[in-house]
Amino acid sequence: MTEEEKCFHEEVAGRLFEMRDAAGMTQEKLAEKAGVQSNSIHRYEVADRRIGLYTAVKVADALNTTVERLIPEEYIHKTEKTDIEREAEDVFHQLSPEDQKMLLRQMKGLLAVPA
């Protein structure tokens, strides 16, 4: 493994730990919600094991976030979001699925209103 790969996996591990901690979940609870072995979360968080893409999707979903948030920014080549786009996205992800659908309908309704 190259030094760059090692740094990447260590940063992913740190982000995973921070997100789990912020969500107030134990490693065991996250493992249960993501459908993985409980010791796997520990190994991902200490960068002892690389997290695969499929597992990263399941873990991100269990944390109510996206895989993109687990990946260090410098490895993602994308159009930069504005502060308001990031804030709106953060709020949206905190809503229940039902509230997300309702908000989306309301936003689409705003687009239909003549100026």
Side-chain angles (χ1 to χ4, degrees):
M1 179 182 319
T2 67
E3 190 61 32
E4 184 178 17
E5 288 173 313
K6 183 179 177 188
C7 289
F8 172 85
H9 291 292
E10 287 173 353
E11 191 159 344
V12 170
R15 286 172 179 240
L16 175 58
F17 170 80
E18 289 171 4
M19 289 179 185
R20 179 185 58 77
D21 189 52
M25 275 192 229
T26 63
Q27 291 177 341
E28 293 77 16
K29 182 66 177 176
L30 177 56
E32 179 184 315
K33 283 186 77 173
V36 300
Q37 299 277 333
S38 59
N39 67 339
S40 293
I41 299 297
H42 169 74
R43 294 182 74 192
Y44 299 142
E45 287 184 357
V46 297
D48 184 43
R49 175 188 274 174
R50 296 182 203 179
I51 188 168
L53 183 57
Y54 180 74
T55 302
V57 170
K58 293 191 324 182
V59 168
D61 188 50
L63 289 169
N64 198 29
T65 191
T66 63
V67 172
E68 182 179 59
R69 291 179 167 255
L70 290 172
I71 299 171
E73 301 246 345
E74 61 268 21
Y75 293 93
I76 300 173
H77 303 287
K78 61 180 180 179
T79 304
E80 186 63 31
K81 293 178 184 172
T82 64
D83 289 341
I84 197 160
E85 287 172 320
R86 283 192 293 276
E87 186 176 356
E89 186 177 86
D90 288 342
V91 170
F92 186 81
H93 287 293
Q94 292 176 31
L95 298 173
S96 69
E98 296 82 23
D99 288 343
Q100 287 177 352
K101 289 176 187 174
M102 180 183 68
L103 179 58
L104 185 58
R105 282 192 307 272
Q106 290 174 343
M107 291 169 64
K108 288 180 177 179
L110 287 172
L111 292 173
V113 175

